[in-house]
Amino acid sequence: DQQVKQNSPSLSVQEGRISILNCDYTNSMFDYFLWYKKYPAEGPTFLISISSIKDKNEDGRFTVFLNKSAKHLSLHIVPSQPGDSAVYFCAASVRNRDDKIIFGKGTRLHILP
Amino acid sequence: DSGVTQTPKHLITATGQRVTLRCSPRSGDLSVYWYQQSLDQGLQFLIQYYNGEERAKGNILERFSAQQFPDLHSELNLSSLELGDSALYFCASSPQGAGGPTDTQYFGPGTRLTVL
């Protein structure tokens, strides 16, 4: 049972445009959501997170939006840069219970020149 | 560089064998997590240790076991290996991991296990 779903295995976006990566979840107990970025031959690196008490969190070019009623979150990258080409993992957890993080399968983002 | 180290980087072995993967967390981090990433799969949480004690368990097979030592490094033991165990195994660490405030996990570069 995939509790965190990233339905787009890959996405191609022109450099300078906005990249939007989507994620859906099924477990209404999740109260903390994260995005990780992964380059080949490296481990995932934390990018940005959002608590369920918020609906938006921004950090430079990266913004995460959370729609709790739809159990949906999205990561916006604007403007997209060549270095953003990577696999992006959406993840979720139930805080204050344990730190088990449930990851999606990832979306491979290609930034086109 | 996340500060989390994993050895070895690559491991090739045969079915039925047993291997040990090692992880050194970031200095000062008390929690260690193990994840498995198989082909076309996301990161599957296996197990978490906090300051030497098992804290959370995920989809870890009975053939797999882990421990965290007094110096906080951790080992993941995989036995009776099967072809389907071929995967990337990641270790992550975090400062607390005790179920409280936001606690970012920092990942190591992974160990690629190939079972032939």
Side-chain angles (χ1 to χ4, degrees), chain A residues 50-96:
Chain A
I50 187 167
S51 164
S52 60
I53 62 172
K54 293 185 172 183
D55 53 22
K56 176 183 172 181
N57 189 26
E58 198 171 343
D59 183 2
R61 296 185 298 113
F62 302 91
T63 303
V64 56
F65 295 91
L66 176 62
N67 181 335
K68 286 189 291 293
S69 60
K71 294 194 180 71
H72 176 85
L73 63 154
S74 60
L75 173 68
H76 292 211
I77 307 173
V78 56
S80 300
Q81 297 176 355
D84 297 330
S85 293
V87 177
Y88 290 79
F89 291 99
C90 172
S93 71
V94 181
R95 306 306 290 182
N96 297 316

mmCIF file of all heavy atoms in Angstrom, chain A residues 50-96:
data_model
loop_
_atom_site.group_PDB
_atom_site.id
_atom_site.type_symbol
_atom_site.label_atom_id
_atom_site.label_comp_id
_atom_site.label_asym_id
_atom_site.label_seq_id
_atom_site.Cartn_x
_atom_site.Cartn_y
_atom_site.Cartn_z
ATOM 1 N N ILE A 50 7.276 21.014 5.360
ATOM 2 C CA ILE A 50 6.106 21.783 5.769
ATOM 3 C C ILE A 50 5.342 21.010 6.821
ATOM 4 O O ILE A 50 5.173 19.786 6.718
ATOM 5 C CB ILE A 50 5.210 22.131 4.549
ATOM 6 C CG1 ILE A 50 4.078 23.084 4.979
ATOM 7 C CG2 ILE A 50 4.643 20.885 3.903
ATOM 8 C CD1 ILE A 50 3.358 23.724 3.792
ATOM 9 N N SER A 51 4.916 21.717 7.840
ATOM 10 C CA SER A 51 4.084 21.130 8.870
ATOM 11 C C SER A 51 2.628 21.228 8.437
ATOM 12 O O SER A 51 2.254 22.114 7.675
ATOM 13 C CB SER A 51 4.290 21.899 10.174
ATOM 14 O OG SER A 51 3.253 21.615 11.081
ATOM 15 N N SER A 52 1.807 20.322 8.961
ATOM 16 C CA SER A 52 0.398 20.312 8.551
ATOM 17 C C SER A 52 -0.378 21.528 9.045
ATOM 18 O O SER A 52 -1.514 21.748 8.632
ATOM 19 C CB SER A 52 -0.285 19.036 9.041
ATOM 20 O OG SER A 52 -0.233 18.960 10.445
ATOM 21 N N ILE A 53 0.217 22.307 9.933
ATOM 22 C CA ILE A 53 -0.490 23.511 10.401
ATOM 23 C C ILE A 53 -0.326 24.668 9.411
ATOM 24 O O ILE A 53 -0.948 25.714 9.568
ATOM 25 C CB ILE A 53 -0.008 23.952 11.801
ATOM 26 C CG1 ILE A 53 1.472 24.334 11.788
ATOM 27 C CG2 ILE A 53 -0.296 22.864 12.824
ATOM 28 C CD1 ILE A 53 1.935 24.944 13.100
ATOM 29 N N LYS A 54 0.517 24.465 8.409
ATOM 30 C CA LYS A 54 0.719 25.497 7.395
ATOM 31 C C LYS A 54 0.193 25.004 6.058
ATOM 32 O O LYS A 54 0.002 23.804 5.851
ATOM 33 C CB LYS A 54 2.204 25.808 7.259
ATOM 34 C CG LYS A 54 2.829 26.460 8.468
ATOM 35 C CD LYS A 54 4.267 26.833 8.155
ATOM 36 C CE LYS A 54 4.863 27.670 9.271
ATOM 37 N NZ LYS A 54 6.244 28.100 8.935
ATOM 38 N N ASP A 55 -0.011 25.948 5.137
ATOM 39 C CA ASP A 55 -0.362 25.518 3.783
ATOM 40 C C ASP A 55 0.689 25.934 2.755
ATOM 41 O O ASP A 55 0.590 25.585 1.585
ATOM 42 C CB ASP A 55 -1.762 26.016 3.367
ATOM 43 C CG ASP A 55 -1.903 27.518 3.538
ATOM 44 O OD1 ASP A 55 -0.865 28.221 3.570
ATOM 45 O OD2 ASP A 55 -3.049 27.988 3.664
ATOM 46 N N LYS A 56 1.709 26.644 3.236
ATOM 47 C CA LYS A 56 2.757 27.076 2.307
ATOM 48 C C LYS A 56 4.044 27.303 3.090
ATOM 49 O O LYS A 56 4.028 27.827 4.213
ATOM 50 C CB LYS A 56 2.320 28.380 1.625
ATOM 51 C CG LYS A 56 3.341 28.997 0.693
ATOM 52 C CD LYS A 56 2.816 30.320 0.134
ATOM 53 C CE LYS A 56 3.870 31.063 -0.654
ATOM 54 N NZ LYS A 56 3.352 32.351 -1.180
ATOM 55 N N ASN A 57 5.146 26.889 2.479
ATOM 56 C CA ASN A 57 6.450 27.196 3.050
ATOM 57 C C ASN A 57 7.403 27.510 1.905
ATOM 58 O O ASN A 57 7.444 26.794 0.911
ATOM 59 C CB ASN A 57 6.982 26.027 3.890
ATOM 60 C CG ASN A 57 8.234 26.397 4.662
ATOM 61 O OD1 ASN A 57 8.448 27.562 4.978
ATOM 62 N ND2 ASN A 57 9.065 25.418 4.964
ATOM 63 N N GLU A 58 8.134 28.584 2.072
ATOM 64 C CA GLU A 58 8.978 29.067 0.990
ATOM 65 C C GLU A 58 10.429 29.145 1.457
ATOM 66 O O GLU A 58 10.725 29.564 2.575
ATOM 67 C CB GLU A 58 8.493 30.474 0.605
ATOM 68 C CG GLU A 58 8.935 30.966 -0.736
ATOM 69 C CD GLU A 58 8.216 32.263 -1.119
ATOM 70 O OE1 GLU A 58 7.172 32.573 -0.497
ATOM 71 O OE2 GLU A 58 8.698 32.951 -2.012
ATOM 72 N N ASP A 59 11.334 28.752 0.565
ATOM 73 C CA ASP A 59 12.764 28.860 0.864
ATOM 74 C C ASP A 59 13.483 29.153 -0.438
ATOM 75 O O ASP A 59 13.770 28.252 -1.233
ATOM 76 C CB ASP A 59 13.278 27.562 1.485
ATOM 77 C CG ASP A 59 14.747 27.659 1.886
ATOM 78 O OD1 ASP A 59 15.364 28.738 1.723
ATOM 79 O OD2 ASP A 59 15.302 26.652 2.378
ATOM 80 N N GLY A 60 13.734 30.427 -0.685
ATOM 81 C CA GLY A 60 14.396 30.824 -1.914
ATOM 82 C C GLY A 60 13.555 30.476 -3.128
ATOM 83 O O GLY A 60 12.394 30.876 -3.240
ATOM 84 N N ARG A 61 14.135 29.690 -4.027
ATOM 85 C CA ARG A 61 13.411 29.333 -5.255
ATOM 86 C C ARG A 61 12.404 28.212 -5.045
ATOM 87 O O ARG A 61 11.679 27.846 -5.968
ATOM 88 C CB ARG A 61 14.420 28.906 -6.336
ATOM 89 C CG ARG A 61 15.377 29.996 -6.778
ATOM 90 C CD ARG A 61 16.272 29.537 -7.950
ATOM 91 N NE ARG A 61 17.119 28.406 -7.578
ATOM 92 C CZ ARG A 61 16.985 27.183 -8.082
ATOM 93 N NH1 ARG A 61 16.039 26.914 -8.978
ATOM 94 N NH2 ARG A 61 17.813 26.221 -7.714
ATOM 95 N N PHE A 62 12.394 27.632 -3.866
ATOM 96 C CA PHE A 62 11.566 26.460 -3.596
ATOM 97 C C PHE A 62 10.387 26.816 -2.693
ATOM 98 O O PHE A 62 10.561 27.462 -1.659
ATOM 99 C CB PHE A 62 12.411 25.365 -2.920
ATOM 100 C CG PHE A 62 13.607 24.942 -3.726
ATOM 101 C CD1 PHE A 62 14.837 25.563 -3.560
ATOM 102 C CD2 PHE A 62 13.490 23.949 -4.676
ATOM 103 C CE1 PHE A 62 15.934 25.191 -4.310
ATOM 104 C CE2 PHE A 62 14.586 23.568 -5.440
ATOM 105 C CZ PHE A 62 15.807 24.188 -5.254
ATOM 106 N N THR A 63 9.206 26.410 -3.121
ATOM 107 C CA THR A 63 8.004 26.611 -2.320
ATOM 108 C C THR A 63 7.233 25.308 -2.282
ATOM 109 O O THR A 63 7.043 24.666 -3.325
ATOM 110 C CB THR A 63 7.103 27.705 -2.924
ATOM 111 O OG1 THR A 63 7.857 28.916 -3.051
ATOM 112 C CG2 THR A 63 5.894 27.961 -2.035
ATOM 113 N N VAL A 64 6.808 24.922 -1.095
ATOM 114 C CA VAL A 64 5.964 23.738 -0.971
ATOM 115 C C VAL A 64 4.576 24.191 -0.548
ATOM 116 O O VAL A 64 4.421 25.034 0.335
ATOM 117 C CB VAL A 64 6.560 22.694 -0.003
ATOM 118 C CG1 VAL A 64 6.825 23.284 1.368
ATOM 119 C CG2 VAL A 64 5.670 21.489 0.097
ATOM 120 N N PHE A 65 3.570 23.661 -1.236
ATOM 121 C CA PHE A 65 2.172 23.937 -0.941
ATOM 122 C C PHE A 65 1.514 22.666 -0.423
ATOM 123 O O PHE A 65 1.741 21.587 -0.964
ATOM 124 C CB PHE A 65 1.438 24.404 -2.203
ATOM 125 C CG PHE A 65 1.921 25.714 -2.743
ATOM 126 C CD1 PHE A 65 2.934 25.759 -3.700
ATOM 127 C CD2 PHE A 65 1.381 26.915 -2.301
ATOM 128 C CE1 PHE A 65 3.393 26.961 -4.208
ATOM 129 C CE2 PHE A 65 1.827 28.133 -2.804
ATOM 130 C CZ PHE A 65 2.838 28.155 -3.753
ATOM 131 N N LEU A 66 0.694 22.821 0.605
ATOM 132 C CA LEU A 66 -0.006 21.672 1.172
ATOM 133 C C LEU A 66 -1.507 21.912 1.138
ATOM 134 O O LEU A 66 -1.986 22.933 1.623
ATOM 135 C CB LEU A 66 0.439 21.439 2.620
ATOM 136 C CG LEU A 66 -0.271 20.333 3.401
ATOM 137 C CD1 LEU A 66 -0.054 18.974 2.740
ATOM 138 C CD2 LEU A 66 0.202 20.313 4.847
ATOM 139 N N ASN A 67 -2.229 20.972 0.577
ATOM 140 C CA ASN A 67 -3.690 21.015 0.554
ATOM 141 C C ASN A 67 -4.177 19.795 1.331
ATOM 142 O O ASN A 67 -4.261 18.690 0.795
ATOM 143 C CB ASN A 67 -4.201 20.981 -0.894
ATOM 144 C CG ASN A 67 -5.709 21.053 -0.987
ATOM 145 O OD1 ASN A 67 -6.433 20.688 -0.062
ATOM 146 N ND2 ASN A 67 -6.202 21.531 -2.107
ATOM 147 N N LYS A 68 -4.478 20.011 2.598
ATOM 148 C CA LYS A 68 -4.815 18.880 3.473
ATOM 149 C C LYS A 68 -6.118 18.220 3.070
ATOM 150 O O LYS A 68 -6.259 17.013 3.163
ATOM 151 C CB LYS A 68 -4.889 19.352 4.932
ATOM 152 C CG LYS A 68 -3.529 19.634 5.537
ATOM 153 C CD LYS A 68 -3.620 19.891 7.023
ATOM 154 C CE LYS A 68 -4.310 21.191 7.359
ATOM 155 N NZ LYS A 68 -3.514 22.364 6.926
ATOM 156 N N SER A 69 -7.082 19.007 2.650
ATOM 157 C CA SER A 69 -8.378 18.412 2.298
ATOM 158 C C SER A 69 -8.233 17.480 1.105
ATOM 159 O O SER A 69 -8.914 16.467 1.008
ATOM 160 C CB SER A 69 -9.415 19.499 2.020
ATOM 161 O OG SER A 69 -8.991 20.310 0.943
ATOM 162 N N ALA A 70 -7.337 17.821 0.192
ATOM 163 C CA ALA A 70 -7.115 16.973 -0.973
ATOM 164 C C ALA A 70 -6.014 15.960 -0.744
ATOM 165 O O ALA A 70 -5.742 15.124 -1.613
ATOM 166 C CB ALA A 70 -6.765 17.834 -2.186
ATOM 167 N N LYS A 71 -5.366 16.020 0.407
ATOM 168 C CA LYS A 71 -4.207 15.169 0.710
ATOM 169 C C LYS A 71 -3.189 15.264 -0.428
ATOM 170 O O LYS A 71 -2.759 14.254 -1.014
ATOM 171 C CB LYS A 71 -4.628 13.717 0.953
ATOM 172 C CG LYS A 71 -5.489 13.510 2.191
ATOM 173 C CD LYS A 71 -5.555 12.029 2.538
ATOM 174 C CE LYS A 71 -6.404 11.770 3.758
ATOM 175 N NZ LYS A 71 -7.840 11.979 3.520
ATOM 176 N N HIS A 72 -2.826 16.485 -0.715
ATOM 177 C CA HIS A 72 -1.952 16.745 -1.857
ATOM 178 C C HIS A 72 -0.936 17.801 -1.492
ATOM 179 O O HIS A 72 -1.266 18.783 -0.809
ATOM 180 C CB HIS A 72 -2.799 17.226 -3.047
ATOM 181 C CG HIS A 72 -1.994 17.605 -4.241
ATOM 182 N ND1 HIS A 72 -1.574 16.674 -5.177
ATOM 183 C CD2 HIS A 72 -1.523 18.803 -4.665
ATOM 184 C CE1 HIS A 72 -0.868 17.300 -6.120
ATOM 185 N NE2 HIS A 72 -0.838 18.589 -5.834
ATOM 186 N N LEU A 73 0.291 17.579 -1.928
ATOM 187 C CA LEU A 73 1.274 18.651 -1.796
ATOM 188 C C LEU A 73 2.058 18.776 -3.095
ATOM 189 O O LEU A 73 2.077 17.848 -3.917
ATOM 190 C CB LEU A 73 2.205 18.454 -0.603
ATOM 191 C CG LEU A 73 3.143 17.267 -0.522
ATOM 192 C CD1 LEU A 73 4.332 17.624 0.355
ATOM 193 C CD2 LEU A 73 2.432 16.081 0.103
ATOM 194 N N SER A 74 2.630 19.954 -3.264
ATOM 195 C CA SER A 74 3.394 20.188 -4.476
ATOM 196 C C SER A 74 4.636 21.010 -4.136
ATOM 197 O O SER A 74 4.645 21.778 -3.176
ATOM 198 C CB SER A 74 2.551 20.892 -5.536
ATOM 199 O OG SER A 74 2.100 22.141 -5.068
ATOM 200 N N LEU A 75 5.642 20.793 -4.944
ATOM 201 C CA LEU A 75 6.889 21.549 -4.825
ATOM 202 C C LEU A 75 7.035 22.392 -6.081
ATOM 203 O O LEU A 75 6.980 21.854 -7.192
ATOM 204 C CB LEU A 75 8.083 20.593 -4.685
ATOM 205 C CG LEU A 75 9.471 21.239 -4.707
ATOM 206 C CD1 LEU A 75 9.685 22.076 -3.444
ATOM 207 C CD2 LEU A 75 10.557 20.180 -4.834
ATOM 208 N N HIS A 76 7.197 23.697 -5.891
ATOM 209 C CA HIS A 76 7.402 24.604 -7.004
ATOM 210 C C HIS A 76 8.840 25.094 -6.986
ATOM 211 O O HIS A 76 9.331 25.521 -5.921
ATOM 212 C CB HIS A 76 6.454 25.809 -6.898
ATOM 213 C CG HIS A 76 5.015 25.446 -7.103
ATOM 214 N ND1 HIS A 76 4.111 26.330 -7.661
ATOM 215 C CD2 HIS A 76 4.316 24.312 -6.834
ATOM 216 C CE1 HIS A 76 2.919 25.744 -7.721
ATOM 217 N NE2 HIS A 76 3.029 24.532 -7.219
ATOM 218 N N ILE A 77 9.474 25.039 -8.131
ATOM 219 C CA ILE A 77 10.837 25.540 -8.259
ATOM 220 C C ILE A 77 10.802 26.621 -9.338
ATOM 221 O O ILE A 77 10.454 26.340 -10.488
ATOM 222 C CB ILE A 77 11.820 24.424 -8.685
ATOM 223 C CG1 ILE A 77 11.724 23.221 -7.744
ATOM 224 C CG2 ILE A 77 13.254 24.961 -8.703
ATOM 225 C CD1 ILE A 77 12.539 22.010 -8.209
ATOM 226 N N VAL A 78 11.149 27.841 -8.918
ATOM 227 C CA VAL A 78 11.119 28.911 -9.907
ATOM 228 C C VAL A 78 12.199 29.946 -9.615
ATOM 229 O O VAL A 78 12.308 30.379 -8.459
ATOM 230 C CB VAL A 78 9.704 29.548 -9.978
ATOM 231 C CG1 VAL A 78 9.275 30.043 -8.610
ATOM 232 C CG2 VAL A 78 9.655 30.683 -10.963
ATOM 233 N N PRO A 79 13.010 30.331 -10.591
ATOM 234 C CA PRO A 79 13.091 29.713 -11.901
ATOM 235 C C PRO A 79 13.900 28.421 -11.851
ATOM 236 O O PRO A 79 14.802 28.283 -11.015
ATOM 237 C CB PRO A 79 13.830 30.777 -12.720
ATOM 238 C CG PRO A 79 14.736 31.443 -11.721
ATOM 239 C CD PRO A 79 13.979 31.437 -10.415
ATOM 240 N N SER A 80 13.594 27.493 -12.732
ATOM 241 C CA SER A 80 14.320 26.231 -12.771
ATOM 242 C C SER A 80 15.716 26.450 -13.353
ATOM 243 O O SER A 80 15.895 27.217 -14.309
ATOM 244 C CB SER A 80 13.564 25.212 -13.635
ATOM 245 O OG SER A 80 12.287 24.977 -13.093
ATOM 246 N N GLN A 81 16.676 25.746 -12.754
ATOM 247 C CA GLN A 81 18.070 25.878 -13.194
ATOM 248 C C GLN A 81 18.621 24.496 -13.551
ATOM 249 O O GLN A 81 18.119 23.482 -13.057
ATOM 250 C CB GLN A 81 18.899 26.497 -12.066
ATOM 251 C CG GLN A 81 18.481 27.904 -11.679
ATOM 252 C CD GLN A 81 19.252 28.450 -10.498
ATOM 253 O OE1 GLN A 81 20.050 27.760 -9.873
ATOM 254 N NE2 GLN A 81 19.010 29.722 -10.189
ATOM 255 N N PRO A 82 19.666 24.455 -14.352
ATOM 256 C CA PRO A 82 20.229 23.154 -14.757
ATOM 257 C C PRO A 82 20.583 22.255 -13.568
ATOM 258 O O PRO A 82 20.379 21.046 -13.605
ATOM 259 C CB PRO A 82 21.476 23.549 -15.560
ATOM 260 C CG PRO A 82 21.169 24.895 -16.108
ATOM 261 C CD PRO A 82 20.337 25.574 -15.050
ATOM 262 N N GLY A 83 21.082 22.851 -12.498
ATOM 263 C CA GLY A 83 21.450 22.079 -11.313
ATOM 264 C C GLY A 83 20.279 21.469 -10.581
ATOM 265 O O GLY A 83 20.462 20.659 -9.667
ATOM 266 N N ASP A 84 19.075 21.840 -10.986
ATOM 267 C CA ASP A 84 17.881 21.261 -10.368
ATOM 268 C C ASP A 84 17.557 19.888 -10.943
ATOM 269 O O ASP A 84 16.683 19.182 -10.427
ATOM 270 C CB ASP A 84 16.672 22.179 -10.556
ATOM 271 C CG ASP A 84 16.843 23.522 -9.870
ATOM 272 O OD1 ASP A 84 17.542 23.592 -8.838
ATOM 273 O OD2 ASP A 84 16.274 24.510 -10.382
ATOM 274 N N SER A 85 18.220 19.508 -12.013
ATOM 275 C CA SER A 85 17.994 18.174 -12.602
ATOM 276 C C SER A 85 18.424 17.121 -11.584
ATOM 277 O O SER A 85 19.599 17.033 -11.213
ATOM 278 C CB SER A 85 18.796 18.006 -13.895
ATOM 279 O OG SER A 85 18.311 18.872 -14.903
ATOM 280 N N ALA A 86 17.469 16.339 -11.142
ATOM 281 C CA ALA A 86 17.700 15.358 -10.069
ATOM 282 C C ALA A 86 16.417 14.560 -9.893
ATOM 283 O O ALA A 86 15.407 14.824 -10.543
ATOM 284 C CB ALA A 86 18.065 16.061 -8.769
ATOM 285 N N VAL A 87 16.468 13.604 -8.997
ATOM 286 C CA VAL A 87 15.245 12.896 -8.586
ATOM 287 C C VAL A 87 14.741 13.549 -7.303
ATOM 288 O O VAL A 87 15.512 13.774 -6.365
ATOM 289 C CB VAL A 87 15.501 11.400 -8.353
ATOM 290 C CG1 VAL A 87 14.229 10.708 -7.844
ATOM 291 C CG2 VAL A 87 15.977 10.733 -9.644
ATOM 292 N N TYR A 88 13.461 13.858 -7.262
ATOM 293 C CA TYR A 88 12.859 14.496 -6.097
ATOM 294 C C TYR A 88 11.917 13.509 -5.414
ATOM 295 O O TYR A 88 11.011 12.954 -6.032
ATOM 296 C CB TYR A 88 12.092 15.756 -6.508
ATOM 297 C CG TYR A 88 13.030 16.856 -6.939
ATOM 298 C CD1 TYR A 88 13.597 16.845 -8.206
ATOM 299 C CD2 TYR A 88 13.364 17.885 -6.070
ATOM 300 C CE1 TYR A 88 14.490 17.833 -8.593
ATOM 301 C CE2 TYR A 88 14.252 18.885 -6.452
ATOM 302 C CZ TYR A 88 14.809 18.844 -7.717
ATOM 303 O OH TYR A 88 15.691 19.827 -8.096
ATOM 304 N N PHE A 89 12.149 13.314 -4.132
ATOM 305 C CA PHE A 89 11.311 12.422 -3.337
ATOM 306 C C PHE A 89 10.427 13.241 -2.415
ATOM 307 O O PHE A 89 10.895 14.113 -1.690
ATOM 308 C CB PHE A 89 12.166 11.484 -2.480
ATOM 309 C CG PHE A 89 12.923 10.445 -3.258
ATOM 310 C CD1 PHE A 89 14.259 10.619 -3.560
ATOM 311 C CD2 PHE A 89 12.281 9.294 -3.689
ATOM 312 C CE1 PHE A 89 14.960 9.657 -4.271
ATOM 313 C CE2 PHE A 89 12.976 8.323 -4.404
ATOM 314 C CZ PHE A 89 14.315 8.509 -4.703
ATOM 315 N N CYS A 90 9.167 12.934 -2.439
ATOM 316 C CA CYS A 90 8.210 13.456 -1.477
ATOM 317 C C CYS A 90 8.174 12.480 -0.303
ATOM 318 O O CYS A 90 8.284 11.266 -0.506
ATOM 319 C CB CYS A 90 6.850 13.536 -2.163
ATOM 320 S SG CYS A 90 5.469 13.932 -1.098
ATOM 321 N N ALA A 91 8.035 12.986 0.901
ATOM 322 C CA ALA A 91 8.022 12.104 2.075
ATOM 323 C C ALA A 91 7.080 12.665 3.128
ATOM 324 O O ALA A 91 6.783 13.871 3.139
ATOM 325 C CB ALA A 91 9.428 11.958 2.639
ATOM 326 N N ALA A 92 6.616 11.797 3.997
ATOM 327 C CA ALA A 92 5.680 12.218 5.035
ATOM 328 C C ALA A 92 5.930 11.436 6.316
ATOM 329 O O ALA A 92 6.429 10.309 6.274
ATOM 330 C CB ALA A 92 4.239 11.997 4.564
ATOM 331 N N SER A 93 5.564 12.045 7.419
ATOM 332 C CA SER A 93 5.719 11.343 8.692
ATOM 333 C C SER A 93 4.658 11.814 9.680
ATOM 334 O O SER A 93 3.977 12.818 9.445
ATOM 335 C CB SER A 93 7.109 11.580 9.279
ATOM 336 O OG SER A 93 7.248 12.908 9.732
ATOM 337 N N VAL A 94 4.533 11.039 10.740
ATOM 338 C CA VAL A 94 3.684 11.429 11.867
ATOM 339 C C VAL A 94 4.628 11.849 12.972
ATOM 340 O O VAL A 94 5.283 11.002 13.593
ATOM 341 C CB VAL A 94 2.790 10.271 12.333
ATOM 342 C CG1 VAL A 94 1.899 10.719 13.480
ATOM 343 C CG2 VAL A 94 1.955 9.741 11.179
ATOM 344 N N ARG A 95 4.724 13.146 13.206
ATOM 345 C CA ARG A 95 5.673 13.638 14.196
ATOM 346 C C ARG A 95 5.202 13.309 15.602
ATOM 347 O O ARG A 95 4.047 13.013 15.840
ATOM 348 C CB ARG A 95 5.843 15.156 14.072
ATOM 349 C CG ARG A 95 6.211 15.632 12.709
ATOM 350 C CD ARG A 95 7.425 14.963 12.152
ATOM 351 N NE ARG A 95 8.645 15.349 12.822
ATOM 352 C CZ ARG A 95 9.852 14.920 12.484
ATOM 353 N NH1 ARG A 95 9.991 14.098 11.499
ATOM 354 N NH2 ARG A 95 10.924 15.313 13.143
ATOM 355 N N ASN A 96 6.121 13.371 16.498
ATOM 356 C CA ASN A 96 5.816 13.132 17.905
ATOM 357 C C ASN A 96 5.325 11.720 18.155
ATOM 358 O O ASN A 96 4.776 11.437 19.207
ATOM 359 C CB ASN A 96 4.806 14.150 18.452
ATOM 360 C CG ASN A 96 5.367 15.551 18.394
ATOM 361 O OD1 ASN A 96 6.529 15.778 18.745
ATOM 362 N ND2 ASN A 96 4.584 16.485 17.922
#
